[in-house]
């Protein structure tokens, strides 16, 4: 009954890594437990009007206390890997100096529990929860934050290095810089496009310094990476290629090119020059630090971006892209997720093939997923749209691999419904449903489907039932 006529299995490579991803602030709760200091997201969420429904990091998924049963859930799903992030303010409550042993001990317990279930830990050192004390000194606008990050990264790595060998420095510096300091829809909520580009540089510098620090102390088999959020950019009218170039520059190449040792893209530098000279923060040697070799690149993909040239070429484009002018961001079309993001699985294959040309290290899909409003009915969550999104996007990954792209793994975003940043708890991305009143977890149909994908190391060639 599960299969359709003509259905076959599309197999993934033998050692393909299957997992699910989360982030500390989105799931942990317990925001004042065991000496944790405040982060910029605690402050932002406590500021009226910033997060939908006035939602905060409490209780989230209460994962700080329920991690052991959550790891049990991962084991039930058959996951081979789990991507989590470490909360900097748990480890260094003020972002510098003294280590809070109780905070570090939580990640010890989490890692031990994963290993006891044969689940490979994949640790992200920064998924947006900057210690508030560092923001009070300028946050990512201040160069010093990059050095503090490298120190913090080295001490977390030193503690877990005997058990965790796969590491990510930053998750999506695009969001930290451009949403945090550009249009202010994320913490710390600063609206200053020039500062956003400067923050982008300090984040890349922080990555490079952390890679150097980890490399100096890591065993040779440790694998270091950064995770970027990419989008394929399209214009309907081929005459609007200039709009594609501009948005691709700020979405993708601003981060990719310096990591690839090419420095900041000349066209982006020219397009943003009217904001003032943000490159004054780029010091001699910084670009070499940023270009430190990594072992793999994390790819987060959700939706494509559609653009057109504005009728008025000097019009400043409202939205997250600092300094963008003369471009209209075209509304999404076709099937949309509950968040209003466009569903386009072919754009994912395009993206992976493009990255294969632009990147010389293996790729891992570190996030991919969709938000829809789910309900538990008789103990079941029939999330038809999310299941279809999942299977279609997995077929896109399979197609890219068949075309020669070196993709080593796929992590579903997210293991659990969780605190969806400015949208609070209103958007559910989990393959497992969370009832925020009872903290009950219910594996959604998409979760059961993902478990079958993992078990078979394959997706069905047609349809979505499996
Ligand atoms: C990721 O960011 C985060 O890493 C993760 O923490 C988060 O929970 C997850 O995605 C879901 O949001 O407005 O239609 O043009 C995603 C970065 C940037 C992707 C904005 C979608 C806008 C799409 N996002 N982008 S649209």
């Amino acid at each position: 009954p599960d299969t359709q006529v003509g259905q076959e299995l599309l197999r993934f490579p033998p050692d393909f890594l299957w997992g699910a991803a989360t982030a500390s602030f989105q799931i942990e709760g317990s925001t004042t437990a065991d000496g944790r200091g405040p982060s910029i997201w605690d402050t932002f969420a406590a500021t009226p009007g910033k997060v939908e429904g006035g939602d905060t990091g409490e209780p989230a998924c209460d994962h700080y206390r329920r991690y052991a049963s959550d790891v049990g859930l991962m084991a039930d799903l058959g996951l081979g890997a789990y991507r989590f992030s470490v909360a900097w303010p748990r480890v260094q409550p003020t972002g510098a100096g003294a280590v809070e042993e109780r905070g570090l001990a939580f990640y010890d317990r989490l890692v031990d529990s994963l290993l006891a279930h044969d689940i490979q830990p994949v640790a992200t050192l920064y998924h947006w929860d900057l210690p508030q004390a560092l923001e009070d000194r300028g946050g990512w606008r201040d160069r010093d934050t990059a050095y503090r990050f490298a120190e913090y990264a080295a001490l977390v790595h030193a503690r877990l290095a005997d058990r965790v060998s796969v590491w990510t420095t930053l998750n999506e510096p695009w969001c930290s810089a451009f949403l945090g300091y550009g249009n202010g829809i994320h913490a710390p909520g600063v609206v200053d496009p020039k500062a956003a580009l400067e923050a982008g540089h300090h984040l890349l510098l922080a990555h490079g310094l952390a890679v150097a620090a980890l490399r100096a102390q890591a065993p040779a088999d440790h694998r270091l990476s950064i995770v970027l959020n990419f989008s394929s950019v399209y214009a309907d009218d081929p005459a609007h290629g200039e709009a594609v170039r501009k948005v691709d520059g700020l979405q993708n190449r601003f981060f990719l090119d310096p990591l690839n040792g090419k420095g900041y893209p000349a066209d982006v530098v020219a397009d943003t020059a009217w904001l003032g000279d943000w490159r004054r923060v780029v010091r001699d040697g910084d670009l070499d630090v940023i270009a430190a070799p990594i072992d793999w690149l994390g790819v987060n993909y959700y939706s494509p971006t559609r653009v057109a040239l504005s009728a008025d070429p000097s019009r400043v484009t409202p939205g997250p892209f600092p300094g963008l002018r003369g471009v209209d961001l075209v509304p999404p079309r076709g099937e949309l997720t509950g968040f209003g993001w466009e569903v386009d699985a072919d754009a994912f294959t395009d993206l992976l093939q493009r990255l294969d040309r632009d990147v010389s290290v293996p790729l891992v899909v570190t996030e991919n997923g969709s938000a829809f409003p789910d309900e538990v009915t008789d103990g079941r969550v029939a999330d038809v749209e999310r299941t279809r999104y999942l299977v279609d996007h997995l077929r896109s990954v399979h197609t890219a691999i068949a075309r020669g792209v070196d993709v080593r793994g796929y992590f579903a975003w997210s293991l659990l419904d969780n605190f969806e940043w400015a949208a609070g708890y209103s958007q559910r991305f989990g393959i497992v449903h969370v009832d925020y009143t009872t903290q009950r977890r219910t594996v959604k149909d998409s979760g059961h489907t993902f478990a079958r994908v993992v078990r078979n190391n394959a997706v069905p060639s047609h349809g979505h039932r499996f």
Side-chain angles (χ1 to χ4, degrees):
D2 254 7
T3 50
Q4 297 187 355
V5 178
Q7 191 179 68
E8 39 169 357
L9 288 182
L10 306 172
R11 298 202 179 278
F12 283 78
D15 293 319
F16 199 76
L17 201 57
W18 293 107
T22 63
S24 48
F25 192 79
Q26 294 182 272
I27 65 165
E28 287 178 358
S30 300
T31 55
T32 57
D34 294 340
R36 179 187 179 280
S39 77
I40 55 174
W41 272 96
D42 296 279
T43 308
F44 191 71
T47 309
K50 298 297 186 187
V51 175
E52 221 176 301
D55 293 344
T56 71
E58 299 286 1
C61 308
D62 194 25
H63 173 78
Y64 190 73
R65 299 192 302 159
R66 294 169 191 265
Y67 74 90
S69 50
D70 286 340
V71 172
L73 194 56
M74 298 174 212
D76 292 344
L77 290 168
L79 302 186
Y82 173 55
R83 173 175 178 251
F84 63 95
S85 79
V86 176
W88 188 348
R90 284 200 194 284
V91 176
Q92 285 179 306
T94 61
V99 170
E100 173 49 77
E101 167 58 29
R102 292 171 294 172
L104 214 39
F106 168 69
Y107 298 101
D108 261 338
R109 295 196 294 278
L110 173 64
V111 164
D112 289 345
S113 165
L114 290 164
L115 294 176
H117 287 88
D118 267 325
I119 299 169
Q120 174 159 22
V122 176
T124 297
L125 288 158
Y126 184 74
H127 198 129
W128 308 355
D129 37 7
L130 186 73
Q132 180 62 43
L134 292 183
E135 181 56 34
D136 295 342
R137 288 189 268 144
W140 291 112
R141 288 165 293 183
D142 182 11
R143 184 179 177 90
D144 192 54
T145 300
Y147 294 94
R148 297 289 77 74
F149 176 73
E151 282 173 12
Y152 150 78
L155 71 89
V156 175
H157 175 267
R159 174 68 167 252
L160 301 176
D162 59 335
R163 287 155 291 150
V164 180
S165 61
V166 184
W167 293 85
T168 291
T169 55
L170 307 177
N171 178 73
E172 302 187 348
W174 183 95
C175 292
S176 300
F178 296 177
L179 305 182
Y181 297 90
N183 67 355
I185 68 158
H186 279 187
V190 174
V191 182
D192 181 346
K194 181 176 174 225
L197 294 164
E198 293 170 351
H201 176 66
H202 292 142
L203 281 148
L204 283 168
L205 181 64
H207 157 80
L209 292 168
V211 168
L214 265 56
R215 209 60 98 178
Q217 67 186 32
D221 65 340
H222 278 206
R223 294 287 168 260
L224 313 181
S225 66
I226 187 169
V227 167
L228 301 179
N229 54 308
F230 293 103
S231 185
S232 300
V233 186
Y234 301 103
D236 289 325
D237 185 340
H240 291 208
E242 179 79 349
V244 173
R245 176 190 64 68
K246 286 182 178 175
V247 173
D248 181 61
L250 285 162
Q251 176 69 53
N252 303 317
R253 289 181 288 114
F254 181 87
F255 294 93
L256 207 44
D257 283 10
L259 291 166
N260 275 331
K262 296 186 203 162
Y264 291 100
D267 60 321
V268 175
V269 170
D271 290 344
T272 57
W274 68 276
L275 292 172
D277 183 20
W278 58 269
R279 282 196 307 159
R280 68 192 172 141
V281 301
V282 183
R283 297 199 189 158
D284 283 354
D286 283 3
L287 292 169
D288 293 328
V289 172
I290 293 168
I294 53 175
D295 303 304
W296 56 282
L297 177 68
V299 178
N300 291 356
Y301 170 79
Y302 289 89
S303 56
T305 304
R306 300 199 179 275
V307 299
L309 287 173
S310 304
D312 171 5
S314 66
R315 173 179 175 266
V316 177
T317 305
F321 299 104
L324 181 64
R325 291 185 301 182
V327 173
D328 293 336
L329 300 176
V330 174
R333 62 170 80 125
E335 193 195 352
L336 307 184
T337 70
F339 225 151
W341 300 353
E342 181 171 336
V343 176
D344 187 343
D346 291 336
F348 194 17
T349 307
D350 278 1
L351 172 66
L352 293 169
Q353 291 193 264
R354 176 259 175 98
L355 292 175
D356 186 56
R357 289 189 293 273
D358 289 354
V359 176
S360 58
V361 292
L363 308 177
V364 175
V365 177
T366 35
E367 286 180 31
N368 174 239
S370 56
F372 289 101
D374 304 305
E375 275 170 40
V376 184
T377 310
D378 299 330
R380 176 173 172 205
V381 180
D383 57 338
V384 181
E385 296 98 335
R386 184 179 296 94
T387 304
R388 193 168 56 224
Y389 182 103
L390 172 71
V391 174
D392 284 347
H393 285 74
L394 286 172
R395 277 202 282 261
S396 298
V397 176
H398 189 274
T399 301
I401 294 172
R403 291 177 184 171
V405 184
D406 189 0
V407 186
R408 300 288 177 91
Y410 177 97
F411 290 77
W413 184 270
S414 177
L415 177 72
L416 303 169
D417 291 336
N418 59 47
F419 177 83
E420 179 47 40
W421 306 113
Y425 297 102
S426 71
Q427 297 293 336
R428 295 177 175 273
F429 276 90
I431 57 173
V432 176
H433 182 275
V434 175
D435 178 323
Y436 294 110
T437 309
T438 62
Q439 289 296 339
R440 180 190 293 272
R441 277 78 164 128
T442 306
V443 178
K444 301 179 191 179
D445 283 3
S446 58
H448 293 299
T449 298
F450 192 54
R452 281 194 284 276
V453 169
V454 174
R455 201 177 324 119
N456 288 281
N457 195 38
V459 281
S461 59
H462 301 89
H464 308 96
R465 284 183 306 153
F466 172 50

